[in-house]
Amino acid sequence: MNHRYFYDWHKLTVCVTSCCDQKCLMCPAPLEDRNTLNRSVVTELIRFAAGNGFKEFEFTGGEPLLLGAMPDLIDMACQSIPLVQLTTNGLRLNDELIERFARYRNLFLLLPVDGIGETYDSIRQVRGGFERFDHILKKVLNAGIPVVLNTVVQRRNYHELYRIYTYFSSRSILFHGFPLIEHLIGNDRERLCPDHAEAMLSELGRIEDAAVLGRRPAPVTRRLRRWYEKRLHDTGTTMHLGARCPVPFRNLIVTAAGFAIPCWQYGWRLEE
């Protein structure tokens, strides 16, 4: 069967490495095997995406900017694919890289920010990390590079989500997402429990109201809050549509170990 008639390709996500220069408390990466795709493999994946009509290409990790070849690979992707995303903790973005990435109008950055000040530093276990992140973010935005922020809702920040949102809301951020921490290997102590639900849902409700008043894209909705509440009270509920999920027909993920999977929440991964 010709895959062009079966799939409606949209996005190819490539986890170029499982190595990272941070040890975030909610992330299973420090416990995973250290794997890195070599430059030739990533080059072929970019060519595959361009040749098969993918509309978006994402570089993720681990920390992608640990790879010396990453700037050249981003150049290649930006010249052949309509939209390119770099998911990075941002702390390796120096002036040279920022200037280089600002040349492309089809590149945006997804930057994780899980707290303000000490909360950020404690989650990411980087002393002075938030101050550095905030300084780099301002440089990136001043250079005109589009940015999406991502805050993983977890035990150390569930009570200050509104503060995190409002701290960045006056800046030219494309979107600020608040995904709920998933049940992955190694993050048991950072997961939320039913006792956290009321405070977390209140914080998310305030964020939705602020977004509406500010005429900004709402990162959370009433429907999403209900789903999160259900997730906290029923640990058997996963953030996945199961057989109705459209992702396997549109998206493709290649892990740092070289495996191709349909989406991160796919059942076999959660059962590892």
Side-chain angles (χ1 to χ4, degrees), residues 239-259:
M239 304 296 288
H240 194 267
L241 295 173
R244 294 183 291 112
C245 178
V247 170
F249 304 99
R250 306 189 72 232
N251 294 9
L252 184 64
I253 297 168
V254 177
T255 71
F259 295 107

Side-chain angles (χ1 to χ4, degrees), residues 48-62:
F48 171 80
N52 286 276
F54 281 80
K55 300 174 182 64
E56 186 173 348
F57 193 100
E58 177 186 4
F59 296 97
T60 187

Side-chain angles (χ1 to χ4, degrees), residues 141 147-149 164-178 207-221:
L141 293 174
V147 170
V148 171
L149 295 180
I164 299 171
Y165 176 77
T166 55
Y167 184 89
F168 296 103
S169 62
S170 63
R171 305 188 195 181
S172 302
I173 305 296
L174 288 178
F175 189 74
H176 191 160
F178 289 83
I207 290 172
E208 182 180 6
D209 291 343
V212 172
L213 287 174
R215 297 184 178 180
R216 299 173 62 87
V220 290
T221 62

Side-chain angles (χ1 to χ4, degrees), residues 48-270:
F48 171 80
N52 286 276
F54 281 80
K55 300 174 182 64
E56 186 173 348
F57 193 100
E58 177 186 4
F59 296 97
T60 187
E63 174 48 53
L65 292 179
L66 287 172
L67 278 66
M70 186 51 55
D72 291 338
L73 292 168
I74 291 173
D75 287 346
M76 179 182 179
C78 286
Q79 292 172 22
S80 56
I81 299 169
L83 187 62
V84 178
Q85 172 183 334
L86 172 62
T87 298
T88 170
N89 61 43
L91 298 188
R92 289 179 172 267
L93 289 169
N94 55 36
D95 291 345
E96 181 182 352
L97 285 177
I98 291 172
E99 182 179 359
R100 184 168 180 172
F101 293 163
R103 300 172 190 166
Y104 294 107
R105 298 293 89 187
N106 60 331
L107 172 68
F108 75 94
L109 306 184
L110 189 149
L111 303 176
V113 54
D114 301 308
I116 304 297
E118 292 182 3
T119 302
Y120 178 101
D121 293 358
S122 66
I123 290 174
R124 299 196 160 264
Q125 302 189 73
V126 179
R127 182 176 297 179
F130 179 74
E131 185 177 349
R132 289 170 55 201
F133 172 84
D134 202 24
H135 178 70
I136 291 170
L137 175 61
K138 290 174 182 176
K139 285 189 173 185
V140 168
L141 293 174
N142 287 338
I145 302 174
V147 170
V148 171
L149 295 180
N150 193 61
T151 299
V152 176
V153 182
Q154 54 195 286
R155 188 165 295 201
R156 292 173 184 256
N157 68 8
Y158 74 95
H159 56 287
E160 54 184 85
L161 302 176
Y162 179 74
R163 179 180 174 225
I164 299 171
Y165 176 77
T166 55
Y167 184 89
F168 296 103
S169 62
S170 63
R171 305 188 195 181
S172 302
I173 305 296
L174 288 178
F175 189 74
H176 191 160
F178 289 83
L180 186 65
I181 184 173
E182 275 294 348
H183 284 210
L184 299 172
I185 299 171
N187 69 356
D188 306 57
R189 289 185 296 180
E190 307 308 317
R191 300 174 193 166
L192 299 173
C193 67
D195 291 343
H196 301 129
E198 183 177 356
M200 179 200 70
L201 295 172
S202 175
E203 290 285 300
L204 294 176
R206 294 178 70 190
I207 290 172
E208 182 180 6
D209 291 343
V212 172
L213 287 174
R215 297 184 178 180
R216 299 173 62 87
V220 290
T221 62
R222 183 176 301 177
R223 180 180 180 183
L224 183 62
R225 295 201 306 274
R226 286 199 300 265
W227 187 262
Y228 281 7
E229 183 176 22
K230 181 180 179 181
R231 181 70 177 85
L232 261 59
H233 287 89
D234 181 5
T235 57
T237 301
T238 61
M239 304 296 288
H240 194 267
L241 295 173
R244 294 183 291 112
C245 178
V247 170
F249 304 99
R250 306 189 72 232
N251 294 9
L252 184 64
I253 297 168
V254 177
T255 71
F259 295 107
I261 60 176
C263 69
W264 292 121
Q265 283 76 34
Y266 204 60
W268 70 267
R269 189 170 190 272
L270 294 177

